Coordinates of all heavy atoms in Angstrom, one line a residue:
T61 N 0.8 -1.2 0.0 CA 0.0 0.0 0.0 C 0.9 1.3 0.0 O 1.7 1.4 0.9 CB -0.9 0.0 1.2 OG1 -1.7 -1.2 1.3 CG2 -1.8 1.2 1.2
G62 N 0.7 2.1 -1.0 CA 1.4 3.4 -1.1 C 2.8 3.3 -1.4 O 3.5 4.3 -1.3
N63 N 3.3 2.1 -1.8 CA 4.8 2.0 -2.1 C 5.0 1.4 -3.4 O 4.2 0.7 -4.0 CB 5.5 1.1 -1.0 CG 5.5 1.7 0.3 OD1 5.7 2.9 0.5 ND2 5.3 0.9 1.4
N64 N 6.2 1.7 -4.0 CA 6.7 1.0 -5.1 C 7.4 -0.3 -4.7 O 8.4 -0.3 -4.1 CB 7.7 1.9 -5.9 CG 7.1 3.2 -6.4 OD1 6.3 3.2 -7.3 ND2 7.5 4.3 -5.8
A65 N 6.7 -1.4 -4.9 CA 7.1 -2.7 -4.3 C 8.1 -3.5 -5.1 O 8.2 -4.7 -4.9 CB 5.8 -3.5 -4.1
Y66 N 8.9 -2.8 -5.9 CA 10.0 -3.5 -6.7 C 11.0 -4.2 -5.8 O 11.5 -5.3 -6.1 CB 10.7 -2.6 -7.7 CG 11.4 -1.4 -7.0 CD1 12.7 -1.5 -6.5 CD2 10.8 -0.2 -6.9 CE1 13.3 -0.5 -5.9 CE2 11.4 0.9 -6.3 CZ 12.7 0.7 -5.8 OH 13.4 1.8 -5.2
G67 N 11.3 -3.6 -4.6 CA 12.3 -4.2 -3.7 C 11.8 -5.5 -3.2 O 12.6 -6.5 -3.2
S68 N 10.6 -5.6 -2.9 CA 10.0 -6.9 -2.4 C 10.0 -7.9 -3.5 O 10.3 -9.1 -3.3 CB 8.6 -6.7 -1.8 OG 8.6 -5.8 -0.7
A69 N 9.6 -7.5 -4.7 CA 9.5 -8.5 -5.8 C 10.9 -9.0 -6.2 O 11.2 -10.2 -6.4 CB 8.9 -7.8 -7.0
L70 N 11.9 -8.1 -6.3 CA 13.3 -8.5 -6.6 C 13.9 -9.4 -5.5 O 14.6 -10.4 -5.8 CB 14.1 -7.3 -6.9 CG 13.8 -6.5 -8.2 CD1 14.6 -5.2 -8.2 CD2 14.2 -7.3 -9.4
S71 N 13.7 -9.0 -4.2 CA 14.3 -9.8 -3.2 C 13.7 -11.2 -3.1 O 14.3 -12.2 -2.8 CB 14.1 -9.1 -1.8 OG 12.8 -9.0 -1.4
Q72 N 12.4 -11.3 -3.4 CA 11.7 -12.6 -3.4 C 12.3 -13.5 -4.6 O 12.5 -14.6 -4.4 CB 10.2 -12.5 -3.6 CG 9.4 -13.7 -3.5 CD 9.2 -14.1 -2.0 OE1 10.1 -14.3 -1.3 NE2 7.9 -14.4 -1.7
I73 N 12.5 -12.8 -5.8 CA 13.1 -13.6 -6.9 C 14.4 -14.1 -6.5 O 14.8 -15.3 -6.7 CB 13.2 -12.7 -8.1 CG1 11.8 -12.5 -8.7 CG2 14.1 -13.3 -9.1 CD1 11.8 -11.4 -9.9
V74 N 15.3 -13.3 -5.9 CA 16.6 -13.7 -5.5 C 16.6 -14.8 -4.5 O 17.3 -15.8 -4.5 CB 17.5 -12.5 -5.0 CG1 18.8 -13.0 -4.4 CG2 17.7 -11.6 -6.2
R75 N 15.7 -14.7 -3.5 CA 15.5 -15.8 -2.5 C 15.1 -17.1 -3.1 O 15.6 -18.1 -2.8 CB 14.5 -15.3 -1.4 CG 14.3 -16.4 -0.3 CD 13.6 -15.8 0.9 NE 12.2 -15.6 0.6 CZ 11.3 -16.6 0.7 NH1 11.6 -17.8 1.1 NH2 10.0 -16.4 0.5
F76 N 14.1 -17.0 -4.1 CA 13.6 -18.2 -4.7 C 14.7 -18.9 -5.6 O 14.7 -20.1 -5.7 CB 12.4 -17.9 -5.5 CG 11.1 -17.8 -4.7 CD1 9.9 -17.3 -5.3 CD2 11.0 -18.2 -3.4 CE1 8.7 -17.2 -4.6 CE2 9.9 -18.2 -2.7 CZ 8.7 -17.6 -3.3
I77 N 15.5 -18.0 -6.2 CA 16.6 -18.6 -7.0 C 17.6 -19.4 -6.0 O 18.0 -20.5 -6.4 CB 17.4 -17.5 -7.7 CG1 16.6 -16.8 -8.8 CG2 18.7 -18.0 -8.3 CD1 17.2 -15.6 -9.4
A78 N 17.9 -18.8 -4.9 CA 18.8 -19.4 -3.9 C 18.2 -20.7 -3.4 O 18.9 -21.7 -3.2 CB 19.1 -18.5 -2.8
E79 N 16.8 -20.7 -3.2 CA 16.1 -21.9 -2.7 C 15.8 -22.9 -3.8 O 15.2 -24.0 -3.6 CB 14.9 -21.5 -2.0 CG 15.1 -20.7 -0.7 CD 13.9 -20.2 -0.1 OE1 12.8 -20.3 -0.7 OE2 14.0 -19.6 1.0
Q80 N 16.1 -22.5 -5.1 CA 15.9 -23.4 -6.3 C 14.4 -23.6 -6.5 O 14.0 -24.7 -6.9 CB 16.7 -24.7 -6.2 CG 18.2 -24.5 -6.3 CD 18.9 -25.7 -6.4 OE1 18.9 -26.6 -5.5 NE2 19.6 -25.9 -7.5
N81 N 13.5 -22.7 -6.1 CA 12.1 -22.9 -6.3 C 11.7 -23.0 -7.8 O 10.8 -23.7 -8.2 CB 11.3 -21.7 -5.7 CG 11.3 -21.8 -4.2 OD1 12.2 -22.3 -3.6 ND2 10.2 -21.3 -3.6
D82 N 12.5 -22.4 -8.7 CA 12.2 -22.5 -10.1 C 12.4 -23.9 -10.6 O 11.6 -24.5 -11.3 CB 13.1 -21.5 -10.9 CG 14.6 -21.6 -10.5 OD1 14.9 -22.1 -9.4 OD2 15.4 -21.1 -11.3
I83 N 13.5 -24.6 -10.1 CA 13.7 -26.0 -10.4 C 12.7 -26.9 -9.8 O 12.2 -27.8 -10.4 CB 15.1 -26.4 -9.9 CG1 16.2 -25.5 -10.5 CG2 15.4 -27.8 -10.4 CD1 16.2 -25.4 -12.0
A84 N 12.3 -26.6 -8.6 CA 11.2 -27.4 -7.9 C 9.9 -27.3 -8.7 O 9.2 -28.3 -8.7 CB 11.0 -26.9 -6.5
D85 N 9.6 -26.2 -9.3 CA 8.4 -26.1 -10.1 C 8.3 -26.8 -11.4 O 7.3 -27.0 -12.0 CB 8.2 -24.6 -10.4 CG 7.6 -23.8 -9.2 OD1 7.2 -24.4 -8.2 OD2 7.6 -22.5 -9.3
L86 N 9.5 -27.4 -11.8 CA 9.5 -28.1 -13.1 C 8.8 -29.4 -13.1 O 8.4 -29.9 -14.2 CB 11.0 -28.3 -13.5 CG 11.9 -27.0 -13.6 CD1 13.2 -27.4 -14.2 CD2 11.2 -26.0 -14.6
V87 N 8.5 -30.0 -11.9 CA 7.8 -31.3 -11.9 C 6.5 -31.2 -12.7 O 6.2 -32.0 -13.5 CB 7.6 -31.7 -10.5 CG1 6.8 -33.0 -10.4 CG2 8.9 -32.0 -9.8

């Protein structure tokens, strides 16, 4: 609310990369 939420989106992407969520989704 009331913010430019790019920081949250980018940090979540980086976290998911580290956790390999993209690879986990391939099933």
Side-chain angles (χ1 to χ4, degrees):
T61 303
N63 290 323
N64 297 291
Y66 60 85
S68 296
L70 289 170
S71 65
Q72 186 82 305
I73 286 173
V74 170
R75 182 168 73 84
F76 279 168
I77 292 171
E79 294 174 354
Q80 296 187 297
N81 285 31
D82 49 343
I83 304 303
D85 282 346
L86 298 185
V87 175

